[in-house]
Amino acid sequence: MSDDEQRGRGAASVHRVGGLLGDLQAADDQPVAPRRRADAERNRAQILAAAEQLFAQQDPRTVTMDRIAKAAGVGRATLYRSFPDPSSVAVALLDEHERRLQGQLIYGPPPLGPGAPAGERLAAFYLAMLDLLERHLPLALGAETGPARFRTGAYGFWRVHVRTLLVDHGIQDPDPLIDIALSPLSPELYQFQRHELGLSTERVGRSLADFARQLLRSGE
Amino acid sequence: MSDDEQRGRGAASVHRVGGLLGDLQAADDQPVAPRRRADAERNRAQILAAAEQLFAQQDPRTVTMDRIAKAAGVGRATLYRSFPDPSSVAVALLDEHERRLQGQLIYGPPPLGPGAPAGERLAAFYLAMLDLLERHLPLALGAETGPARFRTGAYGFWRVHVRTLLVDHGIQDPDPLIDIALSPLSPELYQFQRHELGLSTERVGRSLADFARQLLRSGE
DNA sequence: ATGGCAAACGGACAAGGTGTCCACTTAGCC
DNA sequence: GGCTAAGTGGACACCTTGTCCGTTTGCCAT
């Protein structure tokens, strides 16, 4: 899993939107890629490690490129070579954690993987995402600034998954519903529910699971 | 309606969270308030007018205090006297438009106002909000930066309304569901659906209305 | 009507962030 | 072991942010 960090630069996560599934088990051989130099690799690792600290320590929305570079002990231009802005660093860090869940959704056992009714799968997906949010909220919040989370490769993956569930369930016009169904997973929203309203993870999770089952009810 | 602009400074919308309903028909007499000077009033109007232009012209997330001040023809400190940041200017502008809908939700005819089943009222609310978003998307996007939209007085109002509907319908634990039910109305999300995915207002609206009815189905 | 005073104004300032550029360093291949 | 290009990091010019403070101006009492 830590090997995954080496796959592509920060900006690459944007390109992943096209080849979502194929990317899951992509071999580590680089077809024509000019190969990364060892010092660049080392710097990238330092940057990611330092950034993870920073996002956890302070308000994730206030983390700057300048701060990350200083914390990682590299120059500003070196940082810019790998990432265009702070949120793309957070996206790269999140990617690693999200990839495990992505695999479970496709190949794992039900109800997360195939085999369960759509409503149950959606409920399980919500709970898994909630767990991810709970454990990596600072990163999720940091990833949201800028062009927002809708353009990340991960979001594209969730869209494909939810669309499958909606179609499975026989929804007439699934496309506008996809993002509606994903909207309760907004990091900002979760942060508000947990730390402003003081709701427990369990309470939010129960509501979300009920919500999923109600949305994709068998007795349509 | 244009008289409403004079009620309180920008920061005041934050305080509204407490007295949501009473504020709806608050008389214009100021109990102990020290009274606003005429030149301050004039400047405030100039600021709001200039800001509305700016938010519509460029990416609402890139509007700065500096730009607003220059466009309004006032000094920076004058602007800061009324508003702490650009998003609060957008909030103040939005407030005016939202207040009409707030009145309709309480006193208006069904299905927006009281009298219709909860599912129908939620569907009508969604459609009305969508209409608001469609007409004032730049402002809505501009209002989202910073501490996010969850802290605005308007959001507090929507929460109260939706909670009423959920309780009416007999939902067990309504509180975590409130913000889940409101999440599809995120301006960022609507912008993505409309201008990135190219979905029509009608299609999104139909999905949202179906979604509302499914969520609060009579045959619970 | 006029003079005093507090509210309001707006330019200026220091601090800090952003991208980019370019001279230097260094890894990797011949 | 030297060549070459990728990689590095400090510096630069520009912009934004809040705040401070000397000046102006509306409002009220006289």
Side-chain angles (χ1 to χ4, degrees):
Chain A
M1 136 176 65
S2 65
D3 274 350
D4 283 359
E5 283 179 356
Q6 309 179 359
R7 182 205 41 81
R9 14 178 60 186
S13 61
V14 173
H15 307 320
R16 285 209 308 127
V17 183
L20 288 172
L21 282 86
D23 203 29
L24 267 178
Q25 40 192 3
D28 261 36
D29 48 21
Q30 53 295 332
V32 200
R35 179 81 169 285
R36 189 84 54 76
R37 247 171 60 170
D39 51 351
E41 208 67 71
R42 183 166 18 91
N43 276 331
R44 185 187 160 84
Q46 281 177 21
I47 288 169
L48 287 175
E52 184 140 40
Q53 296 273 7
L54 275 185
F55 279 113
Q57 280 167 12
Q58 53 180 284
D59 179 353
R61 282 170 291 267
T62 68
V63 172
T64 75
M65 290 296 264
D66 198 60
R67 203 78 80 180
I68 296 176
K70 276 191 175 58
V74 303
R76 301 173 42 67
T78 303
L79 176 55
Y80 272 102
R81 170 172 285 271
S82 292
F83 303 97
D85 51 54
S87 77
S88 69
V89 183
V91 167
L93 284 165
L94 264 184
D95 253 27
E96 179 182 332
H97 306 296
E98 291 178 326
R99 198 160 299 120
R100 186 181 299 113
L101 175 55
Q102 292 177 359
Q104 292 181 324
L105 290 177
I106 298 186
Y107 304 114
L112 218 42
E120 290 307 314
R121 291 193 70 189
L122 184 61
F125 170 64
Y126 277 158
L127 292 179
M129 285 293 281
L130 226 57
D131 181 57
L132 224 51
L133 275 178
E134 182 67 29
R135 283 187 295 135
H136 305 293
L137 189 52
L139 289 181
L141 289 172
E144 254 194 347
T145 64
R149 73 187 207 282
F150 302 110
R151 292 191 178 163
T152 67
Y155 188 78
F157 188 96
W158 311 140
R159 293 193 83 249
V160 171
H161 178 61
V162 168
R163 189 176 202 283
T164 306
L165 298 182
L166 295 180
V167 170
D168 260 28
H169 192 68
I171 297 281
Q172 293 303 324
D173 184 18
D175 288 303
L177 240 193
I178 298 174
D179 304 285
I180 294 173
L182 281 171
S183 63
L185 297 175
S186 149
E188 295 262 8
L189 174 61
Y190 186 67
Q191 142 102 342
F192 176 70
Q193 292 188 303
R194 288 283 284 130
H195 301 113
E196 208 92 14
L197 300 181
L199 300 175
S200 70
T201 310
E202 291 73 25
R203 238 171 124 195
V204 175
R206 218 172 306 130
S207 273
L208 263 184
D210 290 349
F211 172 81
R213 297 196 183 93
Q214 178 71 16
L215 199 59
L216 301 184
R217 231 165 107 174
S218 326
E220 171 86 76
Chain B
M1 132 174 67
S2 64
D3 272 351
D4 283 359
E5 284 179 357
Q6 307 179 359
R7 184 205 43 82
R9 18 177 62 186
S13 61
V14 172
H15 306 321
R16 284 207 309 125
V17 183
L20 287 171
L21 282 88
D23 203 31
L24 267 177
Q25 39 191 4
D28 262 36
D29 49 20
Q30 55 295 330
V32 199
R35 179 82 169 285
R36 189 83 54 76
R37 254 171 56 170
D39 51 351
E41 209 67 69
R42 181 165 19 89
N43 275 332
R44 185 187 161 82
Q46 281 177 20
I47 288 170
L48 287 175
E52 185 140 38
Q53 298 273 9
L54 276 185
F55 279 114
Q57 281 167 10
Q58 53 181 282
D59 178 354
R61 281 169 293 266
T62 68
V63 173
T64 76
M65 291 296 263
D66 197 61
R67 203 78 79 182
I68 296 176
K70 277 192 173 58
V74 304
R76 301 173 42 65
T78 303
L79 176 56
Y80 273 101
R81 170 172 288 272
S82 292
F83 302 97
D85 51 53
S87 76
S88 69
V89 182
V91 167
L93 284 164
L94 264 184
D95 253 28
E96 179 183 332
H97 305 296
E98 291 177 326
R99 200 159 297 121
R100 186 181 299 113
L101 174 56
Q102 292 178 359
Q104 292 180 323
L105 290 177
I106 298 188
Y107 306 112
L112 219 43
E120 290 307 315
R121 290 193 71 189
L122 185 60
F125 169 64
Y126 277 157
L127 292 179
M129 285 293 281
L130 226 57
D131 180 58
L132 224 51
L133 274 179
E134 181 66 30
R135 282 187 295 136
H136 305 293
L137 189 54
L139 290 182
L141 288 172
E144 255 197 345
T145 65
R149 73 186 208 281
F150 301 110
R151 292 192 179 162
T152 66
Y155 189 78
F157 187 97
W158 310 141
R159 292 193 85 247
V160 171
H161 179 62
V162 169
R163 191 177 201 284
T164 305
L165 297 182
L166 295 180
V167 170
D168 260 28
H169 191 69
I171 297 280
Q172 292 305 323
D173 184 18
D175 289 301
L177 239 193
I178 298 174
D179 304 286
I180 294 174
L182 282 171
S183 63
L185 297 176
S186 147
E188 295 262 5
L189 174 61
Y190 186 66
Q191 142 102 342
F192 176 70
Q193 291 187 304
R194 287 285 284 131
H195 301 113
E196 208 92 12
L197 300 180
L199 300 175
S200 70
T201 310
E202 290 74 24
R203 237 172 123 196
V204 176
R206 219 171 306 130
S207 273
L208 262 185
D210 289 349
F211 171 80
R213 297 193 185 94
Q214 178 71 15
L215 201 59
L216 302 184
R217 231 166 106 175
S218 327
E220 172 87 76

PDB file of all heavy atoms in Angstrom, chain A residues 185-207:
ATOM      1  N   LEU A 185     -22.430  12.675   1.998  1.00  0.00           N
ATOM      2  CA  LEU A 185     -21.075  12.289   2.387  1.00  0.00           C
ATOM      3  C   LEU A 185     -20.094  13.451   2.313  1.00  0.00           C
ATOM      4  O   LEU A 185     -18.885  13.250   2.455  1.00  0.00           O
ATOM      5  CB  LEU A 185     -20.588  11.144   1.497  1.00  0.00           C
ATOM      6  CG  LEU A 185     -21.405   9.857   1.615  1.00  0.00           C
ATOM      7  CD1 LEU A 185     -20.923   8.820   0.622  1.00  0.00           C
ATOM      8  CD2 LEU A 185     -21.327   9.319   3.036  1.00  0.00           C
ATOM      9  N   SER A 186     -20.604  14.643   2.078  1.00  0.00           N
ATOM     10  CA  SER A 186     -19.727  15.813   2.039  1.00  0.00           C
ATOM     11  C   SER A 186     -18.954  15.954   3.346  1.00  0.00           C
ATOM     12  O   SER A 186     -19.535  15.957   4.431  1.00  0.00           O
ATOM     13  CB  SER A 186     -20.575  17.064   1.799  1.00  0.00           C
ATOM     14  OG  SER A 186     -19.994  18.177   2.430  1.00  0.00           O
ATOM     15  N   PRO A 187     -17.633  16.068   3.263  1.00  0.00           N
ATOM     16  CA  PRO A 187     -16.818  16.222   4.470  1.00  0.00           C
ATOM     17  C   PRO A 187     -17.237  17.417   5.319  1.00  0.00           C
ATOM     18  O   PRO A 187     -17.309  17.320   6.543  1.00  0.00           O
ATOM     19  CB  PRO A 187     -15.406  16.414   3.924  1.00  0.00           C
ATOM     20  CG  PRO A 187     -15.417  15.733   2.604  1.00  0.00           C
ATOM     21  CD  PRO A 187     -16.787  15.945   2.059  1.00  0.00           C
ATOM     22  N   GLU A 188     -17.533  18.537   4.664  1.00  0.00           N
ATOM     23  CA  GLU A 188     -17.969  19.718   5.402  1.00  0.00           C
ATOM     24  C   GLU A 188     -19.225  19.404   6.207  1.00  0.00           C
ATOM     25  O   GLU A 188     -19.360  19.809   7.366  1.00  0.00           O
ATOM     26  CB  GLU A 188     -18.292  20.859   4.420  1.00  0.00           C
ATOM     27  CG  GLU A 188     -17.104  21.377   3.653  1.00  0.00           C
ATOM     28  CD  GLU A 188     -16.538  22.634   4.290  1.00  0.00           C
ATOM     29  OE1 GLU A 188     -16.978  22.993   5.392  1.00  0.00           O
ATOM     30  OE2 GLU A 188     -15.652  23.248   3.677  1.00  0.00           O
ATOM     31  N   LEU A 189     -20.136  18.683   5.587  1.00  0.00           N
ATOM     32  CA  LEU A 189     -21.381  18.335   6.259  1.00  0.00           C
ATOM     33  C   LEU A 189     -21.109  17.432   7.459  1.00  0.00           C
ATOM     34  O   LEU A 189     -21.636  17.649   8.551  1.00  0.00           O
ATOM     35  CB  LEU A 189     -22.312  17.628   5.280  1.00  0.00           C
ATOM     36  CG  LEU A 189     -23.596  17.071   5.888  1.00  0.00           C
ATOM     37  CD1 LEU A 189     -24.416  18.191   6.495  1.00  0.00           C
ATOM     38  CD2 LEU A 189     -24.396  16.307   4.855  1.00  0.00           C
ATOM     39  N   TYR A 190     -20.274  16.427   7.250  1.00  0.00           N
ATOM     40  CA  TYR A 190     -19.981  15.507   8.339  1.00  0.00           C
ATOM     41  C   TYR A 190     -19.311  16.235   9.502  1.00  0.00           C
ATOM     42  O   TYR A 190     -19.626  16.009  10.669  1.00  0.00           O
ATOM     43  CB  TYR A 190     -19.095  14.363   7.842  1.00  0.00           C
ATOM     44  CG  TYR A 190     -18.881  13.296   8.880  1.00  0.00           C
ATOM     45  CD1 TYR A 190     -19.922  12.494   9.323  1.00  0.00           C
ATOM     46  CD2 TYR A 190     -17.624  13.103   9.448  1.00  0.00           C
ATOM     47  CE1 TYR A 190     -19.724  11.525  10.288  1.00  0.00           C
ATOM     48  CE2 TYR A 190     -17.421  12.128  10.419  1.00  0.00           C
ATOM     49  CZ  TYR A 190     -18.480  11.342  10.831  1.00  0.00           C
ATOM     50  OH  TYR A 190     -18.271  10.383  11.794  1.00  0.00           O
ATOM     51  N   GLN A 191     -18.411  17.123   9.156  1.00  0.00           N
ATOM     52  CA  GLN A 191     -17.738  17.914  10.177  1.00  0.00           C
ATOM     53  C   GLN A 191     -18.763  18.729  10.974  1.00  0.00           C
ATOM     54  O   GLN A 191     -18.687  18.825  12.209  1.00  0.00           O
ATOM     55  CB  GLN A 191     -16.733  18.852   9.500  1.00  0.00           C
ATOM     56  CG  GLN A 191     -16.613  20.233  10.102  1.00  0.00           C
ATOM     57  CD  GLN A 191     -15.376  20.354  10.955  1.00  0.00           C
ATOM     58  OE1 GLN A 191     -14.776  19.386  11.370  1.00  0.00           O
ATOM     59  NE2 GLN A 191     -14.983  21.585  11.200  1.00  0.00           N
ATOM     60  N   PHE A 192     -19.724  19.285  10.287  1.00  0.00           N
ATOM     61  CA  PHE A 192     -20.775  20.067  10.950  1.00  0.00           C
ATOM     62  C   PHE A 192     -21.599  19.186  11.877  1.00  0.00           C
ATOM     63  O   PHE A 192     -21.850  19.534  13.038  1.00  0.00           O
ATOM     64  CB  PHE A 192     -21.673  20.711   9.891  1.00  0.00           C
ATOM     65  CG  PHE A 192     -22.842  21.467  10.449  1.00  0.00           C
ATOM     66  CD1 PHE A 192     -22.657  22.667  11.128  1.00  0.00           C
ATOM     67  CD2 PHE A 192     -24.135  20.992  10.283  1.00  0.00           C
ATOM     68  CE1 PHE A 192     -23.739  23.369  11.638  1.00  0.00           C
ATOM     69  CE2 PHE A 192     -25.223  21.691  10.792  1.00  0.00           C
ATOM     70  CZ  PHE A 192     -25.030  22.879  11.468  1.00  0.00           C
ATOM     71  N   GLN A 193     -22.003  18.032  11.404  1.00  0.00           N
ATOM     72  CA  GLN A 193     -22.831  17.135  12.211  1.00  0.00           C
ATOM     73  C   GLN A 193     -22.093  16.634  13.443  1.00  0.00           C
ATOM     74  O   GLN A 193     -22.639  16.577  14.543  1.00  0.00           O
ATOM     75  CB  GLN A 193     -23.283  15.936  11.369  1.00  0.00           C
ATOM     76  CG  GLN A 193     -24.261  16.301  10.275  1.00  0.00           C
ATOM     77  CD  GLN A 193     -24.825  15.061   9.598  1.00  0.00           C
ATOM     78  OE1 GLN A 193     -24.082  14.237   9.074  1.00  0.00           O
ATOM     79  NE2 GLN A 193     -26.131  14.927   9.601  1.00  0.00           N
ATOM     80  N   ARG A 194     -20.829  16.301  13.257  1.00  0.00           N
ATOM     81  CA  ARG A 194     -20.068  15.724  14.361  1.00  0.00           C
ATOM     82  C   ARG A 194     -19.638  16.775  15.379  1.00  0.00           C
ATOM     83  O   ARG A 194     -19.839  16.603  16.571  1.00  0.00           O
ATOM     84  CB  ARG A 194     -18.821  15.004  13.817  1.00  0.00           C
ATOM     85  CG  ARG A 194     -19.125  13.717  13.108  1.00  0.00           C
ATOM     86  CD  ARG A 194     -19.436  12.599  14.110  1.00  0.00           C
ATOM     87  NE  ARG A 194     -18.223  12.097  14.753  1.00  0.00           N
ATOM     88  CZ  ARG A 194     -18.096  11.967  16.072  1.00  0.00           C
ATOM     89  NH1 ARG A 194     -19.068  12.334  16.873  1.00  0.00           N
ATOM     90  NH2 ARG A 194     -16.985  11.473  16.574  1.00  0.00           N
ATOM     91  N   HIS A 195     -19.043  17.849  14.890  1.00  0.00           N
ATOM     92  CA  HIS A 195     -18.369  18.759  15.810  1.00  0.00           C
ATOM     93  C   HIS A 195     -19.101  20.063  16.051  1.00  0.00           C
ATOM     94  O   HIS A 195     -18.686  20.840  16.912  1.00  0.00           O
ATOM     95  CB  HIS A 195     -16.940  19.011  15.312  1.00  0.00           C
ATOM     96  CG  HIS A 195     -16.136  17.737  15.215  1.00  0.00           C
ATOM     97  ND1 HIS A 195     -15.712  17.221  14.019  1.00  0.00           N
ATOM     98  CD2 HIS A 195     -15.728  16.864  16.161  1.00  0.00           C
ATOM     99  CE1 HIS A 195     -15.056  16.092  14.239  1.00  0.00           C
ATOM    100  NE2 HIS A 195     -15.055  15.852  15.520  1.00  0.00           N
ATOM    101  N   GLU A 196     -20.142  20.316  15.301  1.00  0.00           N
ATOM    102  CA  GLU A 196     -20.931  21.523  15.584  1.00  0.00           C
ATOM    103  C   GLU A 196     -22.220  21.107  16.283  1.00  0.00           C
ATOM    104  O   GLU A 196     -22.603  21.678  17.289  1.00  0.00           O
ATOM    105  CB  GLU A 196     -21.252  22.248  14.277  1.00  0.00           C
ATOM    106  CG  GLU A 196     -21.428  23.736  14.445  1.00  0.00           C
ATOM    107  CD  GLU A 196     -20.095  24.481  14.215  1.00  0.00           C
ATOM    108  OE1 GLU A 196     -19.131  23.862  13.677  1.00  0.00           O
ATOM    109  OE2 GLU A 196     -20.005  25.648  14.579  1.00  0.00           O
ATOM    110  N   LEU A 197     -22.860  20.074  15.750  1.00  0.00           N
ATOM    111  CA  LEU A 197     -24.095  19.581  16.361  1.00  0.00           C
ATOM    112  C   LEU A 197     -23.805  18.578  17.469  1.00  0.00           C
ATOM    113  O   LEU A 197     -24.646  18.319  18.316  1.00  0.00           O
ATOM    114  CB  LEU A 197     -24.980  18.926  15.300  1.00  0.00           C
ATOM    115  CG  LEU A 197     -25.434  19.816  14.134  1.00  0.00           C
ATOM    116  CD1 LEU A 197     -26.320  19.032  13.185  1.00  0.00           C
ATOM    117  CD2 LEU A 197     -26.175  21.041  14.660  1.00  0.00           C
ATOM    118  N   GLY A 198     -22.636  17.973  17.447  1.00  0.00           N
ATOM    119  CA  GLY A 198     -22.286  17.021  18.481  1.00  0.00           C
ATOM    120  C   GLY A 198     -22.939  15.657  18.329  1.00  0.00           C
ATOM    121  O   GLY A 198     -23.068  14.923  19.303  1.00  0.00           O
ATOM    122  N   LEU A 199     -23.363  15.315  17.123  1.00  0.00           N
ATOM    123  CA  LEU A 199     -23.971  13.998  16.892  1.00  0.00           C
ATOM    124  C   LEU A 199     -22.897  12.914  16.910  1.00  0.00           C
ATOM    125  O   LEU A 199     -21.780  13.130  16.465  1.00  0.00           O
ATOM    126  CB  LEU A 199     -24.690  13.987  15.535  1.00  0.00           C
ATOM    127  CG  LEU A 199     -25.813  15.018  15.375  1.00  0.00           C
ATOM    128  CD1 LEU A 199     -26.365  14.981  13.964  1.00  0.00           C
ATOM    129  CD2 LEU A 199     -26.925  14.754  16.385  1.00  0.00           C
ATOM    130  N   SER A 200     -23.247  11.740  17.406  1.00  0.00           N
ATOM    131  CA  SER A 200     -22.291  10.638  17.444  1.00  0.00           C
ATOM    132  C   SER A 200     -22.215   9.958  16.084  1.00  0.00           C
ATOM    133  O   SER A 200     -23.136  10.046  15.268  1.00  0.00           O
ATOM    134  CB  SER A 200     -22.725   9.609  18.490  1.00  0.00           C
ATOM    135  OG  SER A 200     -23.880   8.929  18.048  1.00  0.00           O
ATOM    136  N   THR A 201     -21.085   9.287  15.852  1.00  0.00           N
ATOM    137  CA  THR A 201     -20.931   8.554  14.600  1.00  0.00           C
ATOM    138  C   THR A 201     -22.067   7.547  14.415  1.00  0.00           C
ATOM    139  O   THR A 201     -22.602   7.403  13.309  1.00  0.00           O
ATOM    140  CB  THR A 201     -19.591   7.793  14.602  1.00  0.00           C
ATOM    141  OG1 THR A 201     -18.541   8.685  14.966  1.00  0.00           O
ATOM    142  CG2 THR A 201     -19.308   7.205  13.230  1.00  0.00           C
ATOM    143  N   GLU A 202     -22.416   6.883  15.510  1.00  0.00           N
ATOM    144  CA  GLU A 202     -23.456   5.858  15.423  1.00  0.00           C
ATOM    145  C   GLU A 202     -24.788   6.454  14.977  1.00  0.00           C
ATOM    146  O   GLU A 202     -25.473   5.879  14.125  1.00  0.00           O
ATOM    147  CB  GLU A 202     -23.651   5.172  16.792  1.00  0.00           C
ATOM    148  CG  GLU A 202     -22.485   4.304  17.217  1.00  0.00           C
ATOM    149  CD  GLU A 202     -21.263   5.138  17.637  1.00  0.00           C
ATOM    150  OE1 GLU A 202     -21.450   6.307  18.051  1.00  0.00           O
ATOM    151  OE2 GLU A 202     -20.135   4.635  17.535  1.00  0.00           O
ATOM    152  N   ARG A 203     -25.135   7.594  15.548  1.00  0.00           N
ATOM    153  CA  ARG A 203     -26.418   8.204  15.215  1.00  0.00           C
ATOM    154  C   ARG A 203     -26.450   8.621  13.752  1.00  0.00           C
ATOM    155  O   ARG A 203     -27.424   8.373  13.041  1.00  0.00           O
ATOM    156  CB  ARG A 203     -26.638   9.426  16.090  1.00  0.00           C
ATOM    157  CG  ARG A 203     -27.927   9.314  16.896  1.00  0.00           C
ATOM    158  CD  ARG A 203     -27.992  10.423  17.897  1.00  0.00           C
ATOM    159  NE  ARG A 203     -29.212  11.207  17.731  1.00  0.00           N
ATOM    160  CZ  ARG A 203     -29.384  12.417  18.294  1.00  0.00           C
ATOM    161  NH1 ARG A 203     -28.411  12.957  19.003  1.00  0.00           N
ATOM    162  NH2 ARG A 203     -30.514  13.054  18.123  1.00  0.00           N
ATOM    163  N   VAL A 204     -25.390   9.239  13.297  1.00  0.00           N
ATOM    164  CA  VAL A 204     -25.332   9.643  11.889  1.00  0.00           C
ATOM    165  C   VAL A 204     -25.369   8.398  11.011  1.00  0.00           C
ATOM    166  O   VAL A 204     -26.088   8.352  10.005  1.00  0.00           O
ATOM    167  CB  VAL A 204     -24.060  10.458  11.610  1.00  0.00           C
ATOM    168  CG1 VAL A 204     -23.951  10.767  10.125  1.00  0.00           C
ATOM    169  CG2 VAL A 204     -24.045  11.737  12.424  1.00  0.00           C
ATOM    170  N   GLY A 205     -24.609   7.363  11.408  1.00  0.00           N
ATOM    171  CA  GLY A 205     -24.562   6.137  10.619  1.00  0.00           C
ATOM    172  C   GLY A 205     -25.922   5.476  10.516  1.00  0.00           C
ATOM    173  O   GLY A 205     -26.332   5.056   9.428  1.00  0.00           O
ATOM    174  N   ARG A 206     -26.631   5.412  11.638  1.00  0.00           N
ATOM    175  CA  ARG A 206     -27.951   4.783  11.612  1.00  0.00           C
ATOM    176  C   ARG A 206     -28.887   5.544  10.683  1.00  0.00           C
ATOM    177  O   ARG A 206     -29.607   4.946   9.879  1.00  0.00           O
ATOM    178  CB  ARG A 206     -28.511   4.736  13.038  1.00  0.00           C
ATOM    179  CG  ARG A 206     -29.293   3.456  13.338  1.00  0.00           C
ATOM    180  CD  ARG A 206     -29.650   3.371  14.809  1.00  0.00           C
ATOM    181  NE  ARG A 206     -28.483   3.519  15.665  1.00  0.00           N
ATOM    182  CZ  ARG A 206     -28.407   4.354  16.700  1.00  0.00           C
ATOM    183  NH1 ARG A 206     -29.431   5.122  17.009  1.00  0.00           N
ATOM    184  NH2 ARG A 206     -27.307   4.417  17.434  1.00  0.00           N
ATOM    185  N   SER A 207     -28.857   6.858  10.796  1.00  0.00           N
ATOM    186  CA  SER A 207     -29.707   7.675   9.920  1.00  0.00           C
ATOM    187  C   SER A 207     -29.375   7.444   8.455  1.00  0.00           C
ATOM    188  O   SER A 207     -30.260   7.303   7.609  1.00  0.00           O
ATOM    189  CB  SER A 207     -29.532   9.155  10.254  1.00  0.00           C
ATOM    190  OG  SER A 207     -30.410   9.540  11.289  1.00  0.00           O
TER     191      SER A 207
END
